[in-house]
Amino acid sequence: MGIEDKVPAGILLTTVEYVAGYSRMHSVWPATFGLACCAIEMMAAGSPDYDVSRFGMEYFQATPRTADLMVVAGRVSQKMAPVLRQVYDQMSEPKWVISMGVCASSGGMFNNYAILQGVDHIVPVDIYLPGCPPRPEMFLNACVALHEQIQATPLGVNRVTAARAAEAAALAAMPTHQMKGLLA
Ligand code: SF4
């Protein structure tokens, strides 16, 4: 990805990781991207009442090339899916995704052929934000959780090790169709 991938493991990498994570978590720039009613709550988070600029995130980018956060705010139609993926591909690395609202995360009440049943079918999601719609306070809370995740993101060889461990855990996990709810 960058020069940080060339840094050898050890104390030096730990320090670089901390500084890089600290810098990144305070300079996340979202792409201007809203799909449905949830986007109104996302926009409200930028108003003086909620003031997302406290987290350095008030500058919604007009082009994906200068954005590193995609907030999928609303349901994703099948027609919109390739467009969403193209916007994601054009965003700069490293990049993150917040799935805002039940529609983006699972299709919500729109259990039909026209709506994607979860945006994680086409892009990797870092934070799932529940609700219909989630309040701006919940969006701010998701931003704080994402910042903590960014701060703890490993670099270089540590990142490779973490990615392998995550893939192994995903392969060993129980398939969702075998999971039982509270009423099972
Ligand atoms: S979760 Fe609710 S508010 Fe958000 S897009 Fe779906 S229907 Fe609209």
Side-chain angles (χ1 to χ4, degrees), residues 97-110:
V97 176
I98 294 179
S99 173
M100 183 173 184
V102 66
C103 284
S105 299
S106 69
M109 67 190 90
F110 301 99

Side-chain angles (χ1 to χ4, degrees), residues 40-72:
I40 304 299
E41 303 295 320
M42 178 182 67
M43 287 182 244
S47 71
D49 280 352
Y50 300 101
D51 196 15
V52 76
S53 61
R54 285 176 291 164
F55 307 103
M57 298 175 62
E58 77 279 20
Y59 190 22
F60 280 66
Q61 298 297 296
T63 165
R65 299 196 191 281
T66 52
D68 52 8
L69 171 64
M70 172 181 275
V71 183
V72 184

